[in-house]
């Protein structure tokens, strides 16, 4: 998730698998959700404790659902 290399090794066949373009776009959008929670105190006048709890919760949620966004292919696809 945090590397520039879009390939992963299959644990069964040991061949390289690549993230599809659609999967790379979806996973990049997931990275924007937790930082957006830092805007809560500005927009909704939320307390710092509430902001920290929501930041941790949204980060854990994104990490938890990220594996369901992954689609793999045998060939590397261009980003555009």
């Amino acid at each position: 998730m945090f590397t520039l290399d879009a390939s992963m090794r299959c644990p069964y066949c040991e061949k390289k698998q690549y993230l599809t373009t659609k999967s790379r776009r979806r996973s990049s959008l997931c990275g924007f959700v937790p930082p957006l929670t830092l805007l809560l105190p500005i927009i909704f006048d939320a307390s710092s404790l509430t902001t920290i709890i929501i930041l941790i919760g949204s980060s854990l949620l994104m990490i938890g659902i990220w594996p369901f966004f992954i689609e793999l292919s045998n060939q590397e696809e261009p980003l555009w």
Side-chain angles (χ1 to χ4, degrees):
M1 180 173 171
F2 300 108
T3 65
L4 295 176
D5 186 20
S7 67
M8 299 178 207
R9 290 228 177 256
C10 175
Y12 302 107
C13 66
E14 295 295 325
K15 292 184 181 178
K16 275 193 172 189
Q17 299 287 309
Y18 299 93
L19 289 171
T20 62
T21 301
K22 183 178 177 182
S23 177
R24 287 171 40 188
R25 286 184 186 154
R26 273 194 252 158
S27 63
S28 67
L29 289 176
C30 287
F32 286 112
V33 173
L36 287 177
T37 60
L38 296 176
L39 296 174
L40 283 177
I42 297 168
I43 297 170
F44 297 109
D45 197 29
S47 70
S48 298
L49 180 62
T50 303
T51 303
I52 291 171
I53 291 171
I54 292 174
L55 176 65
I56 292 170
S58 65
S59 297
L60 291 174
L61 179 69
M62 290 298 118
I63 291 170
I65 65 172
W66 184 74
F68 298 105
F69 286 153
I70 293 177
E71 294 174 1
L72 299 173
S73 78
N74 292 330
Q75 297 176 351
E76 189 170 12
E77 300 174 359
L79 192 54
W80 298 108

Coordinates of all heavy atoms in Angstrom, one line a residue:
M1 N 0.8 -1.2 0.0 CA 0.0 0.0 0.0 C 0.9 1.3 0.0 O 0.5 2.3 -0.6 CB -0.9 0.0 1.2 CG -1.8 1.2 1.3 SD -3.0 0.9 2.7 CE -3.7 2.5 2.8
F2 N 2.0 1.2 0.7 CA 2.8 2.4 0.8 C 4.1 2.4 0.0 O 5.0 3.1 0.3 CB 3.1 2.6 2.3 CG 1.9 2.8 3.2 CD1 1.5 1.8 4.0 CD2 1.2 3.9 3.1 CE1 0.4 1.9 4.8 CE2 0.0 4.0 3.9 CZ -0.3 3.0 4.7
T3 N 4.1 1.6 -1.1 CA 5.3 1.6 -1.9 C 5.0 2.0 -3.3 O 3.8 2.1 -3.7 CB 5.9 0.1 -2.0 OG1 4.9 -0.7 -2.6 CG2 6.2 -0.4 -0.6
L4 N 6.0 2.4 -4.1 CA 5.8 2.7 -5.5 C 5.6 1.5 -6.4 O 5.1 1.6 -7.5 CB 6.9 3.6 -6.0 CG 7.0 5.0 -5.3 CD1 8.3 5.7 -5.8 CD2 5.8 5.8 -5.5
D5 N 6.1 0.4 -5.9 CA 6.0 -0.9 -6.6 C 4.5 -1.4 -6.5 O 4.1 -1.6 -5.4 CB 7.0 -1.9 -6.1 CG 7.0 -3.2 -7.0 OD1 6.5 -3.1 -8.1 OD2 7.5 -4.2 -6.4
A6 N 3.9 -1.6 -7.6 CA 2.5 -2.0 -7.6 C 2.3 -3.5 -7.7 O 1.2 -4.0 -7.8 CB 1.7 -1.3 -8.8
S7 N 3.4 -4.2 -7.5 CA 3.3 -5.7 -7.6 C 3.4 -6.3 -6.2 O 3.9 -5.8 -5.3 CB 4.5 -6.2 -8.5 OG 5.7 -6.0 -7.8
M8 N 2.8 -7.5 -6.2 CA 2.8 -8.4 -5.0 C 3.0 -9.8 -5.5 O 2.7 -10.2 -6.6 CB 1.4 -8.3 -4.3 CG 1.0 -7.0 -3.8 SD -0.6 -7.1 -3.1 CE -1.2 -5.5 -3.4
R9 N 3.7 -10.6 -4.6 CA 3.9 -12.0 -4.9 C 2.7 -12.8 -4.4 O 2.3 -12.6 -3.3 CB 5.2 -12.5 -4.3 CG 6.4 -11.9 -4.9 CD 7.4 -13.0 -5.2 NE 8.5 -12.5 -5.9 CZ 8.8 -12.6 -7.2 NH1 7.9 -13.3 -7.9 NH2 9.8 -12.1 -7.7
C10 N 2.2 -13.7 -5.2 CA 1.2 -14.6 -4.9 C 1.7 -15.6 -3.9 O 2.8 -16.2 -4.2 CB 0.6 -15.3 -6.1 SG -0.7 -16.5 -5.7
P11 N 1.1 -15.8 -2.7 CA 1.6 -16.8 -1.8 C 1.5 -18.2 -2.2 O 2.2 -19.1 -1.7 CB 0.8 -16.5 -0.5 CG -0.5 -15.9 -1.0 CD -0.1 -15.1 -2.2
Y12 N 0.7 -18.5 -3.2 CA 0.5 -19.9 -3.7 C 1.4 -20.2 -4.9 O 2.0 -21.2 -4.9 CB -1.0 -20.1 -4.1 CG -1.9 -19.8 -2.9 CD1 -2.7 -18.6 -2.9 CD2 -1.9 -20.7 -1.8 CE1 -3.5 -18.4 -1.8 CE2 -2.7 -20.4 -0.7 CZ -3.5 -19.3 -0.7 OH -4.3 -19.0 0.4
C13 N 1.4 -19.3 -5.9 CA 2.1 -19.7 -7.2 C 3.4 -18.9 -7.3 O 4.2 -19.2 -8.2 CB 1.3 -19.4 -8.4 SG 0.9 -17.6 -8.7
E14 N 3.7 -18.0 -6.4 CA 4.9 -17.2 -6.3 C 5.1 -16.3 -7.5 O 6.2 -15.8 -7.8 CB 6.2 -18.1 -6.1 CG 6.2 -18.8 -4.8 CD 6.3 -17.8 -3.6 OE1 7.0 -16.8 -3.7 OE2 5.7 -18.1 -2.6
K15 N 4.1 -16.0 -8.3 CA 4.2 -15.1 -9.5 C 3.8 -13.7 -9.0 O 3.1 -13.5 -8.1 CB 3.3 -15.6 -10.6 CG 3.7 -16.9 -11.2 CD 2.8 -17.2 -12.4 CE 3.3 -18.6 -13.0 NZ 2.4 -19.0 -14.1
K16 N 4.3 -12.7 -9.8 CA 4.0 -11.4 -9.5 C 2.6 -11.0 -9.9 O 2.2 -11.4 -11.0 CB 5.0 -10.4 -10.2 CG 6.2 -10.2 -9.4 CD 7.0 -9.0 -10.0 CE 8.1 -8.6 -9.2 NZ 8.8 -7.4 -9.6
Q17 N 1.8 -10.4 -9.1 CA 0.5 -9.9 -9.4 C 0.5 -8.4 -9.2 O 1.2 -7.9 -8.4 CB -0.5 -10.5 -8.4 CG -0.6 -12.0 -8.4 CD -1.3 -12.5 -9.7 OE1 -2.4 -12.0 -10.0 NE2 -0.7 -13.4 -10.4
Y18 N -0.2 -7.7 -10.0 CA -0.2 -6.2 -10.0 C -1.6 -5.7 -9.7 O -2.6 -6.3 -10.0 CB 0.2 -5.7 -11.4 CG 1.6 -6.1 -11.8 CD1 1.8 -7.3 -12.6 CD2 2.7 -5.4 -11.4 CE1 3.0 -7.7 -12.9 CE2 4.0 -5.8 -11.8 CZ 4.1 -6.9 -12.5 OH 5.4 -7.3 -12.9
L19 N -1.6 -4.6 -9.0 CA -2.9 -3.9 -8.7 C -3.4 -3.3 -10.0 O -2.7 -2.8 -10.8 CB -2.6 -2.7 -7.7 CG -2.3 -3.1 -6.3 CD1 -1.9 -1.8 -5.5 CD2 -3.5 -3.7 -5.6
T20 N -4.7 -3.5 -10.2 CA -5.4 -2.9 -11.4 C -5.4 -1.4 -11.2 O -5.3 -0.9 -10.1 CB -6.8 -3.5 -11.5 OG1 -7.6 -3.1 -10.4 CG2 -6.8 -5.0 -11.7
T21 N -5.7 -0.7 -12.3 CA -5.8 0.7 -12.3 C -6.9 1.2 -11.4 O -6.8 2.1 -10.6 CB -6.0 1.3 -13.7 OG1 -4.9 0.8 -14.5 CG2 -6.1 2.8 -13.7
K22 N -8.0 0.5 -11.5 CA -9.2 0.8 -10.7 C -8.9 0.7 -9.2 O -9.2 1.5 -8.3 CB -10.4 -0.1 -11.1 CG -11.7 0.2 -10.4 CD -12.7 -0.7 -10.9 CE -14.0 -0.6 -10.2 NZ -15.1 -1.5 -10.7
S23 N -8.2 -0.4 -8.8 CA -7.8 -0.7 -7.5 C -6.8 0.4 -6.9 O -6.9 0.8 -5.8 CB -7.2 -2.1 -7.4 OG -6.8 -2.4 -6.1
R24 N -5.9 0.8 -7.7 CA -4.9 1.8 -7.3 C -5.6 3.1 -7.1 O -5.3 3.9 -6.1 CB -3.8 1.9 -8.3 CG -2.9 0.7 -8.3 CD -1.9 0.6 -9.3 NE -1.2 1.8 -9.8 CZ -0.4 1.9 -10.8 NH1 -0.1 0.8 -11.5 NH2 0.2 3.0 -11.2
R25 N -6.6 3.5 -7.9 CA -7.3 4.7 -7.7 C -8.1 4.7 -6.4 O -8.2 5.7 -5.6 CB -8.2 5.0 -8.9 CG -7.4 5.5 -10.1 CD -8.3 5.8 -11.2 NE -7.6 6.1 -12.4 CZ -8.0 6.0 -13.6 NH1 -9.2 5.6 -13.8 NH2 -7.3 6.3 -14.7
R26 N -8.8 3.6 -6.2 CA -9.6 3.5 -5.0 C -8.8 3.5 -3.7 O -9.1 4.2 -2.7 CB -10.4 2.1 -5.0 CG -11.7 2.2 -5.7 CD -12.5 1.0 -5.4 NE -12.6 0.2 -6.6 CZ -12.8 -1.1 -6.6 NH1 -13.1 -1.7 -5.5 NH2 -12.8 -1.8 -7.7
S27 N -7.7 2.8 -3.7 CA -6.8 2.8 -2.5 C -6.2 4.2 -2.3 O -5.9 4.5 -1.1 CB -5.8 1.7 -2.6 OG -4.9 1.9 -3.7
S28 N -5.9 4.9 -3.3 CA -5.3 6.3 -3.1 C -6.4 7.2 -2.5 O -6.0 8.1 -1.7 CB -4.8 6.8 -4.4 OG -5.8 7.1 -5.3
L29 N -7.6 7.0 -2.8 CA -8.7 7.8 -2.2 C -8.9 7.5 -0.7 O -9.2 8.4 0.1 CB -10.0 7.6 -2.9 CG -10.1 8.2 -4.3 CD1 -11.4 7.9 -5.0 CD2 -9.9 9.7 -4.3
C30 N -8.6 6.3 -0.3 CA -8.7 5.9 1.1 C -7.7 6.6 1.9 O -8.0 6.8 3.1 CB -8.5 4.4 1.2 SG -9.9 3.4 0.7
G31 N -6.6 7.0 1.4 CA -5.6 7.7 2.1 C -6.0 9.2 2.5 O -5.4 9.8 3.3
F32 N -7.0 9.7 1.8 CA -7.4 11.1 2.1 C -8.5 11.2 3.2 O -8.6 12.3 3.8 CB -8.0 11.7 0.8 CG -7.0 12.1 -0.2 CD1 -7.0 11.4 -1.4 CD2 -6.1 13.1 0.0 CE1 -6.0 11.7 -2.4 CE2 -5.2 13.4 -0.9 CZ -5.1 12.7 -2.1
V33 N -9.1 10.1 3.5 CA -10.2 10.2 4.5 C -9.7 10.5 5.9 O -10.2 11.5 6.6 CB -11.0 8.9 4.5 CG1 -12.0 8.9 5.7 CG2 -11.7 8.7 3.2
P34 N -8.7 9.8 6.5 CA -8.2 10.2 7.8 C -7.7 11.6 8.0 O -8.1 12.3 8.9 CB -7.1 9.1 8.1 CG -7.5 8.0 7.3 CD -8.1 8.5 6.0
P35 N -6.9 12.1 7.1 CA -6.5 13.5 7.2 C -7.6 14.5 7.1 O -7.6 15.6 7.7 CB -5.5 13.7 6.1 CG -5.0 12.4 5.7 CD -6.2 11.5 6.0
L36 N -8.7 14.2 6.4 CA -9.8 15.1 6.4 C -10.5 15.3 7.7 O -11.2 16.3 8.0 CB -10.9 14.6 5.4 CG -10.5 14.8 3.9 CD1 -11.5 14.2 3.0 CD2 -10.2 16.2 3.5
T37 N -10.4 14.3 8.6 CA -10.9 14.4 9.9 C -10.3 15.5 10.8 O -10.8 15.9 11.8 CB -10.9 13.1 10.7 OG1 -9.5 12.7 10.9 CG2 -11.7 12.0 10.0
L38 N -9.1 15.9 10.4 CA -8.4 17.0 11.1 C -9.1 18.3 10.9 O -8.8 19.3 11.6 CB -6.9 17.0 10.7 CG -6.1 15.8 11.0 CD1 -4.7 15.9 10.5 CD2 -6.0 15.6 12.5
L39 N -10.0 18.4 9.9 CA -10.7 19.6 9.6 C -11.9 19.8 10.6 O -12.6 20.8 10.6 CB -11.1 19.7 8.2 CG -10.0 19.8 7.1 CD1 -10.6 19.7 5.8 CD2 -9.2 21.0 7.3
L40 N -12.2 18.7 11.3 CA -13.4 18.7 12.2 C -13.4 19.9 13.2 O -14.5 20.5 13.3 CB -13.6 17.4 12.9 CG -14.1 16.2 12.1 CD1 -14.1 15.0 13.0 CD2 -15.5 16.5 11.6
P41 N -12.3 20.2 13.8 CA -12.4 21.3 14.8 C -12.7 22.6 14.1 O -13.3 23.5 14.7 CB -11.0 21.3 15.5 CG -10.4 20.0 15.1 CD -11.1 19.5 13.9
I42 N -12.2 22.8 12.9 CA -12.5 24.0 12.2 C -13.9 24.2 11.7 O -14.5 25.2 11.9 CB -11.5 24.1 11.0 CG1 -10.0 24.1 11.5 CG2 -11.8 25.4 10.2 CD1 -9.0 23.9 10.4
I43 N -14.4 23.1 11.2 CA -15.8 23.1 10.6 C -16.9 23.0 11.6 O -17.8 23.8 11.6 CB -15.9 22.0 9.5 CG1 -14.9 22.2 8.4 CG2 -17.3 22.0 9.0 CD1 -14.8 21.1 7.4
F44 N -16.8 22.0 12.5 CA -17.8 21.7 13.5 C -17.6 22.2 14.9 O -18.3 21.8 15.8 CB -18.2 20.3 13.4 CG -18.6 19.8 12.1 CD1 -17.9 19.0 11.3 CD2 -19.9 20.1 11.7 CE1 -18.3 18.5 10.1 CE2 -20.4 19.7 10.4 CZ -19.6 18.9 9.6
D45 N -16.5 22.8 15.2 CA -16.1 23.2 16.5 C -16.0 22.0 17.4 O -16.5 22.1 18.6 CB -17.0 24.3 17.0 CG -16.5 25.1 18.2 OD1 -15.2 25.2 18.3 OD2 -17.3 25.5 19.1
A46 N -15.4 21.0 17.0 CA -15.3 19.7 17.8 C -14.1 19.9 18.7 O -13.1 20.6 18.4 CB -15.1 18.5 16.9
S47 N -14.1 19.1 19.8 CA -13.0 19.2 20.7 C -11.8 18.4 20.2 O -11.9 17.6 19.3 CB -13.4 18.6 22.1 OG -13.6 17.2 22.0
S48 N -10.6 18.6 20.7 CA -9.4 17.9 20.3 C -9.5 16.4 20.5 O -9.1 15.6 19.7 CB -8.2 18.5 21.0 OG -8.0 19.8 20.7
L49 N -10.1 16.0 21.7 CA -10.2 14.6 22.0 C -11.2 13.9 21.0 O -10.9 12.8 20.5 CB -10.8 14.5 23.4 CG -11.0 13.0 23.9 CD1 -9.7 12.3 23.9 CD2 -11.6 13.0 25.3
T50 N -12.3 14.6 20.6 CA -13.2 14.0 19.7 C -12.5 13.9 18.3 O -12.6 12.8 17.6 CB -14.4 14.9 19.5 OG1 -15.0 15.1 20.8 CG2 -15.4 14.4 18.5
T51 N -11.7 14.8 17.9 CA -11.0 14.8 16.7 C -10.0 13.6 16.6 O -9.9 12.9 15.7 CB -10.3 16.1 16.4 OG1 -11.2 17.2 16.4 CG2 -9.6 16.1 15.1
I52 N -9.2 13.5 17.7 CA -8.3 12.4 17.8 C -8.9 11.0 17.8 O -8.5 10.1 17.1 CB -7.4 12.5 19.1 CG1 -6.5 13.8 19.0 CG2 -6.6 11.3 19.4 CD1 -5.8 14.1 20.2
I53 N -10.0 10.9 18.5 CA -10.8 9.6 18.5 C -11.3 9.3 17.1 O -11.2 8.2 16.6 CB -11.9 9.6 19.5 CG1 -11.3 9.6 20.9 CG2 -12.9 8.4 19.3 CD1 -12.3 9.8 22.0
I54 N -11.9 10.3 16.4 CA -12.4 10.1 15.0 C -11.2 9.8 14.1 O -11.3 9.0 13.2 CB -13.2 11.3 14.6 CG1 -14.5 11.3 15.4 CG2 -13.6 11.2 13.1 CD1 -15.4 12.5 15.2
L55 N -10.1 10.5 14.2 CA -8.9 10.2 13.4 C -8.4 8.8 13.5 O -8.2 8.1 12.5 CB -7.8 11.2 13.7 CG -6.5 11.0 13.0 CD1 -6.7 11.3 11.5 CD2 -5.4 11.9 13.5
I56 N -8.3 8.3 14.8 CA -7.9 6.9 15.0 C -8.9 5.9 14.4 O -8.5 5.0 13.8 CB -7.6 6.7 16.5 CG1 -6.4 7.5 16.9 CG2 -7.4 5.2 16.8 CD1 -6.2 7.5 18.4
G57 N -10.2 6.2 14.7 CA -11.2 5.3 14.2 C -11.3 5.3 12.7 O -11.4 4.2 12.1
S58 N -11.2 6.4 12.0 CA -11.2 6.4 10.6 C -10.0 5.8 10.0 O -10.1 5.1 8.9 CB -11.4 7.8 10.0 OG -10.3 8.6 10.3
S59 N -8.8 5.9 10.6 CA -7.6 5.3 10.1 C -7.7 3.8 10.2 O -7.4 3.0 9.3 CB -6.4 5.7 11.0 OG -6.2 7.1 10.8
L60 N -8.2 3.3 11.4 CA -8.4 1.8 11.5 C -9.5 1.3 10.6 O -9.3 0.2 10.0 CB -8.8 1.5 13.0 CG -7.8 1.7 14.0 CD1 -8.3 1.5 15.4 CD2 -6.6 0.8 13.8
L61 N -10.5 2.1 10.3 CA -11.5 1.7 9.4 C -10.9 1.5 7.9 O -11.2 0.6 7.2 CB -12.7 2.6 9.4 CG -13.8 2.3 8.4 CD1 -14.6 1.1 8.8 CD2 -14.7 3.5 8.3
M62 N -10.1 2.5 7.5 CA -9.5 2.5 6.2 C -8.6 1.3 6.1 O -8.5 0.6 5.0 CB -8.8 3.8 5.9 CG -9.7 5.0 5.7 SD -10.8 4.7 4.3 CE -12.4 4.8 5.1
I63 N -7.8 1.0 7.1 CA -6.9 -0.1 7.1 C -7.7 -1.4 7.0 O -7.3 -2.4 6.4 CB -5.9 -0.1 8.3 CG1 -4.9 1.1 8.2 CG2 -5.2 -1.4 8.4 CD1 -4.1 1.4 9.4
G64 N -8.8 -1.4 7.7 CA -9.6 -2.7 7.7 C -10.3 -3.0 6.4 O -10.5 -4.1 6.0
I65 N -10.8 -1.9 5.7 CA -11.5 -2.2 4.5 C -10.6 -2.2 3.2 O -11.1 -2.6 2.2 CB -12.7 -1.2 4.3 CG1 -12.2 0.2 4.1 CG2 -13.7 -1.3 5.4 CD1 -13.3 1.2 3.7
W66 N -9.4 -1.7 3.4 CA -8.5 -1.6 2.2 C -8.3 -3.0 1.5 O -8.3 -3.0 0.3 CB -7.1 -1.1 2.6 CG -6.2 -0.9 1.5 CD1 -6.3 0.1 0.5 CD2 -5.1 -1.7 1.1 NE1 -5.3 -0.1 -0.4 CE2 -4.6 -1.1 -0.1 CE3 -4.5 -2.8 1.7 CZ2 -3.4 -1.7 -0.7 CZ3 -3.4 -3.3 1.1 CH2 -2.9 -2.8 -0.1
P67 N -8.1 -4.1 2.2 CA -8.0 -5.4 1.5 C -9.2 -5.7 0.6 O -9.0 -6.5 -0.4 CB -7.8 -6.4 2.6 CG -7.3 -5.6 3.7 CD -7.9 -4.3 3.6
F68 N -10.4 -5.2 0.9 CA -11.5 -5.5 0.1 C -11.5 -4.7 -1.2 O -12.3 -4.9 -2.1 CB -12.8 -5.3 0.8 CG -12.9 -6.2 2.0 CD1 -12.7 -5.7 3.3 CD2 -13.2 -7.6 1.9 CE1 -12.8 -6.6 4.4 CE2 -13.2 -8.4 2.9 CZ -13.0 -7.9 4.2
F69 N -10.7 -3.6 -1.3 CA -10.6 -2.8 -2.5 C -9.6 -3.3 -3.5 O -9.5 -2.9 -4.6 CB -10.2 -1.4 -2.1 CG -11.3 -0.6 -1.5 CD1 -11.0 0.5 -0.6 CD2 -12.6 -0.8 -1.7 CE1 -12.0 1.2 -0.1 CE2 -13.6 -0.1 -1.2 CZ -13.3 0.9 -0.3
I70 N -8.8 -4.3 -3.1 CA -7.7 -4.8 -3.9 C -8.3 -5.7 -5.0 O -9.0 -6.7 -4.8 CB -6.7 -5.6 -3.1 CG1 -6.0 -4.6 -2.2 CG2 -5.7 -6.3 -4.0 CD1 -5.0 -5.3 -1.2
E71 N -7.9 -5.4 -6.3 CA -8.1 -6.3 -7.4 C -6.7 -6.5 -8.1 O -6.0 -5.5 -8.3 CB -9.1 -5.7 -8.4 CG -10.5 -5.6 -7.9 CD -11.4 -4.8 -8.8 OE1 -10.9 -4.4 -9.9 OE2 -12.5 -4.6 -8.5
L72 N -6.4 -7.7 -8.4 CA -5.1 -8.0 -9.0 C -5.2 -8.5 -10.4 O -6.2 -9.1 -10.8 CB -4.4 -9.1 -8.1 CG -4.1 -8.7 -6.7 CD1 -3.5 -9.9 -5.9 CD2 -3.2 -7.5 -6.6
S73 N -4.2 -8.3 -11.2 CA -4.1 -8.8 -12.6 C -2.7 -9.4 -12.8 O -1.8 -9.1 -12.0 CB -4.5 -7.7 -13.6 OG -3.4 -6.9 -13.8
N74 N -2.6 -10.1 -13.9 CA -1.2 -10.7 -14.2 C -0.3 -9.7 -14.9 O 0.9 -10.0 -14.9 CB -1.4 -11.9 -15.1 CG -2.1 -13.1 -14.3 OD1 -1.9 -13.2 -13.1 ND2 -2.9 -13.9 -15.0
Q75 N -0.9 -8.7 -15.4 CA 0.0 -7.7 -16.1 C -0.2 -6.3 -15.5 O -1.3 -6.0 -15.0 CB -0.5 -7.6 -17.6 CG -0.3 -8.9 -18.3 CD -0.8 -8.8 -19.8 OE1 -1.5 -7.8 -20.1 NE2 -0.5 -9.8 -20.6
E76 N 0.9 -5.5 -15.5 CA 0.8 -4.2 -15.0 C 0.1 -3.3 -15.9 O 0.3 -3.2 -17.1 CB 2.2 -3.7 -14.7 CG 2.3 -2.4 -14.0 CD 3.7 -2.0 -13.5 OE1 4.6 -2.6 -14.0 OE2 3.8 -1.1 -12.7
E77 N -0.9 -2.5 -15.4 CA -1.7 -1.6 -16.2 C -1.2 -0.2 -15.9 O -0.8 0.1 -14.8 CB -3.2 -1.7 -15.8 CG -3.8 -3.1 -15.9 CD -5.2 -3.2 -15.4 OE1 -5.7 -2.2 -14.9 OE2 -5.7 -4.3 -15.5
P78 N -1.3 0.7 -17.0 CA -1.0 2.1 -16.7 C -2.0 2.7 -15.8 O -3.1 2.3 -15.7 CB -1.0 2.7 -18.1 CG -1.9 1.8 -18.9 CD -1.8 0.4 -18.3
L79 N -1.5 3.8 -15.1 CA -2.4 4.5 -14.2 C -3.5 5.2 -14.9 O -4.6 5.4 -14.4 CB -1.6 5.4 -13.3 CG -2.3 6.0 -12.1 CD1 -2.9 4.9 -11.2 CD2 -1.4 6.8 -11.3
W80 N -3.3 5.7 -16.1 CA -4.3 6.4 -16.9 C -4.7 5.6 -18.0 O -4.6 5.3 -18.9 CB -3.8 7.8 -17.3 CG -3.4 8.6 -16.1 CD1 -2.2 9.0 -15.6 CD2 -4.4 9.2 -15.1 NE1 -2.3 9.7 -14.5 CE2 -3.6 9.9 -14.2 CE3 -5.7 9.2 -15.0 CZ2 -4.2 10.5 -13.1 CZ3 -6.3 9.9 -14.0 CH2 -5.5 10.5 -13.0

